[in-house]
Amino acid sequence: MPLLVTRRSVLAVGVGLPLLRIVEARAAPASTYRVGAITVTPLRDGLFPLQPSMIPAADSEAGRALLAQAGLPPGGPSPEPVNAFLIRRGARHWLLDAGCGKVFGPGFDRVTAALAAEGVAPDQIDTVWLTHLHADHVGGLLTAEGRARFPGAELVVQDREAAFWSDEGARSRAPAEMAVFFDTAQAVLAAYAGRVRRVSGGAELAPGVSFLPLPGHTPGHAGVLIEDGPERLLIWGDILHSRVLQMPHPDWTVIWDADPVEAIATRRRILDRAAAEGLDVAGMHLATRGRIARDGSGYLWEVRDQSGSDGASP
């Protein structure tokens, strides 16, 4: 199993912080958009300084060239968003993932403030749907004291995912660097004890919303497919960590992929489906909503503006 980034390694990337702050000023998350009667609001938790070494194949001339073409330092870091999503229909308020919280130090833990800007308090969240239990997706479920931040919310997660992170055998076999991920996942499951619903496969989460299993990044990794009439949106979790690097090279895996071979197969499958079906796509590490087009052995990203029309790729 590959080594994972630790909190210390995130905090050590100080050389990239000035760049991150410049990019952040011009990379605010997209405003609310609609999928039929369902509204989807991206919530920016922060920007993660992704180093090429975190996508090992990108630590190469090809990777440096792609970063340079995108106007980024060839040696990195590439500032990648960490998003959650507020999903509303009528009086219901759902949250999809919750960001890092305090797990990776300063610069994150902004989901609660982003919710407040939408007029939503933590106790108004009915349910939190979780794509997976990595710390940058569930750390925000906890207060600084380790209590449940969303006091009335039920958590919904794939059974395979909860089982893996609860398995002390899996923890004992994992590298020491994974301890923060096991600690965070287990703390979240404990804080919401009695309010965790485990589901399997393409379970319906709400009218027009269902899980889409996308294993490989983690055993129970899943996206969410939102459909209302002819309108559809796939929020695909962590299929990509770097659009710039992995869209042209979908076989480039990140060090966080639990099963790199399965992650590649899943990524290619869902990219092909999104391209064939013309799906709108959003993700936890994508700055915008977009669509996918095939481009030889890779893919292209087409930005969608708020009216749903195609825009130029950044």
Side-chain angles (χ1 to χ4, degrees):
M1 185 173 288
L3 294 181
L4 292 167
V5 68
T6 64
R7 182 177 185 274
R8 179 179 297 176
S9 68
V10 173
L11 298 177
V13 192
V15 66
L17 293 181
L19 170 67
L20 291 180
R21 294 191 177 106
I22 292 170
V23 174
E24 185 170 30
R26 67 186 190 203
S31 58
T32 295
Y33 43 86
R34 300 186 70 87
V35 183
I38 300 170
T39 60
V40 180
T41 304
L43 307 172
R44 178 65 49 79
D45 192 59
L47 289 172
F48 181 83
L50 184 77
Q51 295 289 348
S53 59
M54 296 171 181
I55 301 179
D59 196 6
S60 61
E61 287 302 318
R64 287 185 280 275
L66 286 170
L67 291 173
Q69 290 168 17
L72 296 166
S78 172
E80 304 297 341
V82 177
N83 300 321
F85 291 85
L86 171 64
I87 301 171
R88 290 171 280 191
R89 185 169 197 159
R92 300 296 302 276
H93 298 79
W94 301 290
L95 188 63
L96 178 59
D97 287 355
C100 299
K102 301 292 187 184
V103 177
F104 291 138
F108 299 100
D109 200 25
R110 301 177 184 177
V111 165
T112 305
L115 284 170
E118 294 294 321
V120 178
D123 61 4
Q124 291 178 274
I125 298 296
D126 301 312
T127 309
V128 183
W129 304 320
L130 297 173
T131 62
H132 59 303
L133 293 178
H134 273 171
D136 56 320
H137 299 258
V138 301
L141 293 171
L142 301 172
T143 66
E145 298 75 30
R147 294 192 290 270
R149 178 168 279 171
F150 301 97
E154 176 187 57
L155 306 187
V156 184
V157 64
Q158 290 281 317
D159 181 65
R160 288 185 65 196
E161 187 72 5
F164 175 78
W165 295 102
S166 302
D167 183 354
E168 289 304 317
R171 181 180 186 128
S172 68
R173 293 188 295 271
E177 290 83 356
M178 287 185 68
V180 66
F181 290 82
F182 278 94
D183 288 345
T184 305
Q186 291 177 7
V188 164
L189 295 174
Y192 290 82
R195 292 188 282 135
V196 179
R197 178 159 55 98
R198 299 185 182 195
V199 299
S200 298
E204 183 181 71
L205 301 171
V209 185
S210 58
F211 262 144
L212 180 65
L214 299 169
H217 179 55
T218 63
H221 179 253
V224 166
L225 185 62
I226 303 174
E227 304 177 273
D228 191 16
E231 298 183 38
R232 296 188 298 167
L233 172 71
L234 170 62
I235 304 179
W236 67 15
D238 280 12
I239 286 294
L240 293 178
H241 286 74
S242 170
R243 179 187 59 77
V244 168
L245 296 170
Q246 291 178 289
M247 197 70 77
H249 293 283
D251 292 347
W252 287 6
T253 60
V254 296
I255 58 175
W256 303 284
D257 284 340
D259 186 333
V261 173
E262 186 175 40
I264 291 169
T266 295
R267 181 159 43 252
R268 283 197 169 276
R269 173 172 55 82
I270 201 61
L271 285 165
D272 282 341
R273 176 179 173 180
E277 298 183 13
L279 284 174
D280 279 6
V281 173
M284 281 54 191
H285 304 299
L286 292 170
T288 61
R289 177 179 50 148
R291 285 189 176 177
I292 310 299
R294 293 187 182 89
D295 182 38
S297 61
Y299 302 83
L300 295 174
W301 177 254
E302 299 173 350
V303 174
R304 302 280 284 170
D305 68 22
Q306 298 313 297
S307 66
S309 62
D310 292 333
S313 294

